[in-house]
Amino acid sequence: MNLVTGGVSGVSIIAKELWGIPLWITNTALNIPLFLASMKLKGWQFIKRTLVATVALSLSLYIIPEMYFLTDDIFLASLFGGLITGVGTGLVFLFRATTGGTDMLAALIQRKLKHYSIAQIMQVLDAVIVLMGATVFGIKYALYALIAIYAVAKISDGMIEGLKFAKQAYIISDKSQEIAGAVMGQLERGVTAIEAVGMFSGQQKKLLYCAVSKKEIVQLKEIVAEYDPDAFVIVSEAKEVFGEGFIKYRQ
């Protein structure tokens, strides 16, 4: 769909448009020197996972035929192409690998420009590639590419951070003992009490902290309201919770 979303694959799309070079050839050719330089400077441990992912990407570009659908709707192609790519990217990141390209180039550049982070250098490199795509395909395609980039980032971040979101609650109440007992008894969730001081009143209070599932937050608020309608409650998202009653961490 001529959507250049950055990276070596984006350069491959431009090369195909300008010179008719297949995507997998450009992707492989550009990654080989980057791998050799990275192995020399960083060692085999740094590149071994990325090597597998990069080879898999090049093979996929070679084996999987081009399938033309949604060609009349660039927006849907941008959105769902970004969503599918985000799932694949998230899976690669979960195994502490990348698909090569600008990731490795940024790591190599960062050795010379130590005052910049790898993430910052990657953003500049990808921005340059997207601008190159805008020059070749036009600004309209570059703007649609930004939609795909956003979708990739949101989905891959969601997979890395965890899709089983939970809620965390901070409760300040004069009935902290009763509320904690009810939460532990009815919800079977642990509660932590933290000693706190109200700076306005100067009184010692207990700040209760509790992590619950999304469906349990309603019951938690009902328990608090039952014992102390004047309690001060803060509820926020907890993207990942590891431990008893939640997700067990697996390396």
Side-chain angles (χ1 to χ4, degrees), residues 4-251:
V4 178
T5 57
V8 168
S9 58
V11 177
S12 302
I13 293 171
I14 295 172
K16 181 184 178 185
E17 175 68 16
L18 294 177
W19 303 295
I21 304 173
L23 296 176
W24 72 273
I25 292 179
T26 307
N27 191 74
T28 304
L30 292 179
N31 272 298
I32 287 174
L34 292 174
F35 271 105
L36 293 176
S38 297
M39 188 164 64
K40 183 178 179 180
L41 296 174
K42 295 279 191 175
W44 171 248
Q45 293 298 321
F46 176 76
I47 70 164
K48 63 180 183 180
R49 286 191 179 92
T50 297
L51 178 61
V52 175
T54 304
V55 170
L57 175 58
S58 292
L59 283 174
S60 298
L61 290 172
Y62 174 69
I63 295 171
I64 299 174
E66 292 184 7
M67 293 174 284
Y68 294 93
F69 56 95
L70 290 180
T71 53
D72 59 337
D73 196 326
I74 304 177
F75 176 76
L76 284 179
S78 305
L79 180 59
F80 285 94
L83 294 177
I84 294 169
T85 304
V87 171
T89 303
L91 288 172
V92 172
F93 287 167
L94 282 173
F95 286 91
R96 292 178 289 169
T98 70
T99 53
T102 50
D103 306 61
M104 290 190 297
L105 181 58
L108 295 173
I109 294 174
Q110 203 262 343
R111 291 176 63 87
K112 298 292 184 182
L113 304 176
K114 296 185 183 295
H115 49 292
Y116 294 106
S117 68
I118 292 177
Q120 289 174 324
I121 297 171
M122 278 184 61
Q123 287 175 346
V124 172
L125 292 173
D126 286 337
V128 169
I129 295 169
V130 171
L131 288 174
M132 289 168 56
T135 303
V136 174
F137 297 108
I139 189 66
K140 182 178 81 168
Y141 285 93
L143 294 175
Y144 277 115
L146 293 178
I147 296 174
I149 292 169
Y150 180 79
V152 170
K154 294 300 291 184
I155 294 298
S156 59
D157 286 349
M159 293 189 67
I160 294 167
E161 294 171 355
L163 296 176
K164 295 184 178 180
F165 301 141
K167 295 281 189 179
Q168 55 185 352
Y170 297 89
I171 305 163
I172 302 174
S173 170
D174 294 328
K175 303 284 188 178
S176 56
Q177 194 69 42
E178 293 88 341
I179 292 171
V183 171
M184 291 186 290
Q186 297 179 34
L187 297 183
E188 297 184 349
R189 292 293 188 187
V191 182
T192 300
I194 304 169
E195 295 294 337
V197 178
M199 297 305 293
F200 180 77
S201 64
Q203 294 180 346
Q204 290 276 350
K205 290 183 178 288
K206 289 192 185 304
L207 170 65
L208 300 181
Y209 175 77
C210 182
V212 297
S213 67
K214 280 192 170 183
K215 66 181 180 180
E216 292 171 330
I217 194 64
V218 175
Q219 191 175 351
L220 175 67
K221 290 189 287 187
E222 288 175 351
I223 290 172
V224 174
E226 178 184 347
Y227 286 94
D228 185 2
D230 298 322
F232 189 76
V233 183
I234 302 172
V235 178
S236 61
E237 295 281 353
K239 289 190 175 180
E240 279 190 300
V241 182
F242 294 111
E244 186 176 352
F246 290 94
I247 303 170
K248 289 188 177 181
Y249 182 71
R250 293 184 178 87
Q251 289 187 334

